[in-house]
Amino acid sequence: MPEGSRTAKGSALVNLLPLREGEKVMAVIPTRDFKENKYLAFATAKGQFKKTEFLAYNTPIRADGIIAIKVRDGDELVQVRMTSGEDDILMVSKSAHAVRFSESEARPMGRDTSGVKGMNVSAKGGGEANRVLAMDVARDDTELFVVTENGYGKRTSIAEYPRKGRGTKGVLTAKLTEKKGGLAGALIVREHQELLFISQNGMVQRTSASGISTMGRPTQGVKVMNIKDDDRISAVALVVESSEDPPADEAPQQDELQAPEDGAAG
């Protein structure tokens, strides 16, 4: 992969990776020797969870890649995380539920397997078919940030999420209303980090996590991004700082996100 400056556009991933039609990158795991942690944990939209020894991926890579997880028809990969074998896992669904369980409840499996049920997503999520939105390692010194489609969000201490066991629906993590909209995203955050909100119409806003209220699990949250009537939040991500990045302004900044040029990856 060619190295570029902080402001460079970068290269389209389709020119670097053998992506099939309709396929997209869901996670990037940095490694030197596949020994940074013991397992890779996977979660799918329909609630499947699988962990595989990280060293199992230290194998010659074919031109079209190797199988990381067997995804069943109608399902898709949502997230991948490194785990120690002794971590707790938190999965969050569109219906605003979160389930916490010990990863020891799922035995290690090979690469070409689909895993076991991690979360029950049979309930509806905001009037739509429910699905897993996020999966991460749960630590009591971190917080879960959730944001709705209409721009309402909050932080909640991970310690408020009890272990309910793998394969359950979990506990309520936000109170959804028609005004707030359905759940749009969820992230494990720390107070010093910054968040980036992106709307369907291409608006982007950067906000410090410390400026967002901390609330209990079954609450509605506060306004974190102003959304027009014909727009809604489509994604939220953590801002990765570099030493060259200028300090962020205290007030949230909102600008139009430029559409990628023809041939560029979205």
Side-chain angles (χ1 to χ4, degrees):
M1 180 178 295
E3 183 177 354
S5 68
R6 179 175 61 85
T7 57
K9 289 184 177 180
S11 302
L13 285 175
V14 292
N15 297 327
L16 302 172
L17 300 173
L19 298 178
R20 301 179 179 88
E21 184 178 355
E23 190 176 16
K24 58 184 178 180
V25 174
M26 297 304 298
V28 177
I29 306 295
T31 183
R32 290 184 179 274
D33 56 9
F34 294 86
K35 296 179 181 179
E36 287 82 0
N37 231 319
K38 190 170 184 179
Y39 296 107
L40 282 188
F42 301 79
T44 74
K46 290 193 173 182
Q48 290 296 110
F49 175 82
K50 187 196 80 157
K51 68 178 184 183
T52 300
E53 288 191 6
F54 198 11
L55 283 171
Y57 298 92
N58 187 13
T59 184
I61 306 294
R62 301 192 300 269
D64 59 347
I66 60 173
I67 294 176
I69 179 175
K70 185 177 181 180
V71 179
R72 297 172 179 173
D73 290 343
D75 203 358
E76 63 178 314
L77 184 64
V78 170
Q79 190 56 271
V80 184
R81 288 288 186 262
M82 288 193 292
T83 67
S84 67
E86 301 177 352
D87 290 318
D88 275 4
I89 301 297
L90 191 76
M91 298 175 71
V92 183
S93 69
K94 189 172 180 60
S95 65
H97 287 82
V99 61
R100 179 177 180 174
F101 60 90
S102 171
E103 68 167 299
S104 63
E105 294 184 39
R107 64 179 178 83
M109 297 184 177
R111 290 190 293 105
D112 191 10
T113 56
S114 56
V116 295
K117 181 64 70 176
M119 184 177 195
N120 181 349
V121 290
S122 59
K124 294 288 184 181
E128 304 174 11
N130 198 17
R131 57 169 287 159
V132 171
L133 290 179
M135 178 274 289
D136 214 327
V137 174
R139 297 185 175 93
D140 284 345
D141 62 344
T142 59
E143 297 170 316
L144 177 65
F145 171 77
V146 295
V147 63
T148 69
E149 295 169 337
N150 293 339
Y152 290 83
K154 67 184 178 75
R155 295 182 291 147
T156 302
S157 172
I158 290 296
E160 291 197 27
Y161 295 87
R163 287 182 178 175
K164 285 294 184 180
R166 178 180 64 78
T168 63
K169 184 174 69 172
V171 295
L172 197 64
T173 188
K175 187 177 180 181
L176 300 180
T177 65
E178 185 175 351
K179 178 182 177 182
K180 268 56 174 186
L183 205 64
L187 289 172
I188 297 290
V189 301
R190 297 180 185 270
E191 190 175 27
H192 68 276
Q193 293 177 314
E194 295 200 335
L195 301 167
L196 199 68
F197 305 111
I198 303 171
S199 79
Q200 287 186 339
N201 290 349
M203 301 302 292
V204 60
Q205 177 176 302
R206 179 170 171 169
T207 303
S208 172
S210 62
I212 298 171
S213 299
T214 301
M215 299 180 177
R217 287 190 295 100
T219 52
Q220 297 182 20
V222 297
K223 197 74 169 178
V224 296
M225 182 176 183
N226 292 320
I227 296 291
K228 296 180 180 179
D229 291 342
D230 63 343
D231 199 7
R232 65 179 184 175
I233 290 180
S234 60
V236 59
L238 288 175
V239 176
V240 179
E241 295 282 5
S242 74
S243 59
E244 298 178 2
D245 283 339
D249 294 338
E250 293 184 1
Q253 295 181 353
Q254 184 165 316
D255 301 294
E256 187 168 354
L257 186 67
Q258 292 184 350
E261 297 180 357
D262 293 341

